[in-house]
Amino acid sequence: MENVNLTPKEIVNKHFKPKMRGYDPADVDEFLDKVIQDYETFTKENQRLQMENDRLVSKVDELTKQVAVGKSGQTARPTSNMTNMDILKRLSNLERRVFGAQLNSDDDQSNRF
């Protein structure tokens, strides 16, 4: 967005030099009052929209992260229909093989001496 050149306060405080055959100061002031009101409305609406945009960008980021986590969680899951019980059984079998082999080798070594 381009920068705004005037603030409502600058418009209010603007004074024009009087000249012969110039514009009627009352008409100019009345018109500037309307410009100021519109300018203030524009500024408030712009701020509101900027806040709404920031909120929506944050929401999109949050939802994008949730989708990414969901997708990565889905790809990490096994494709078969394994239950927690199946996983625990497999883990138990692996532990018996690993630790059982170590226990057997420890027994073998102690019997050698």
Side-chain angles (χ1 to χ4, degrees):
M1 185 174 139
E2 294 184 32
N3 289 336
V4 178
N5 293 319
L6 299 172
T7 65
K9 189 174 182 175
E10 290 172 325
I11 296 170
V12 168
N13 293 330
K14 177 66 177 167
H15 292 284
F16 296 94
K17 297 176 190 174
K19 278 193 148 188
M20 275 185 85
R21 298 185 187 170
Y23 295 106
D24 179 11
D27 286 343
V28 172
D29 287 343
E30 185 180 323
F31 179 77
L32 287 176
D33 288 342
K34 291 178 183 177
V35 170
I36 291 165
Q37 288 175 350
D38 286 351
Y39 214 77
E40 287 174 341
T41 301
F42 162 76
T43 301
K44 288 177 186 176
E45 180 67 5
N46 191 30
Q47 289 172 346
R48 186 191 70 77
L49 290 172
Q50 185 60 49
M51 288 172 38
E52 177 72 3
N53 188 49
D54 292 344
R55 184 186 70 78
L56 292 172
V57 166
S58 296
K59 187 69 175 176
V60 166
D61 289 344
E62 179 184 327
L63 292 172
T64 301
K65 288 176 187 175
Q66 288 177 5
V67 167
V69 167
K71 284 184 180 178
S72 67
Q74 288 175 352
T75 57
R77 291 183 189 146
T79 56
S80 66
N81 292 331
M82 293 182 67
T83 64
N84 286 343
M85 192 60 140
D86 294 331
I87 293 170
L88 289 172
K89 285 180 183 177
R90 289 183 70 191
L91 182 60
S92 177
N93 288 336
L94 289 171
E95 287 175 339
R96 270 190 253 132
R97 287 182 189 166
V98 169
F99 294 118
Q102 287 178 349
L103 289 174
N104 289 339
S105 66
D106 289 344
D107 289 343
D108 292 344
Q109 290 178 358
S110 63
N111 290 337
R112 290 183 189 172
F113 295 109

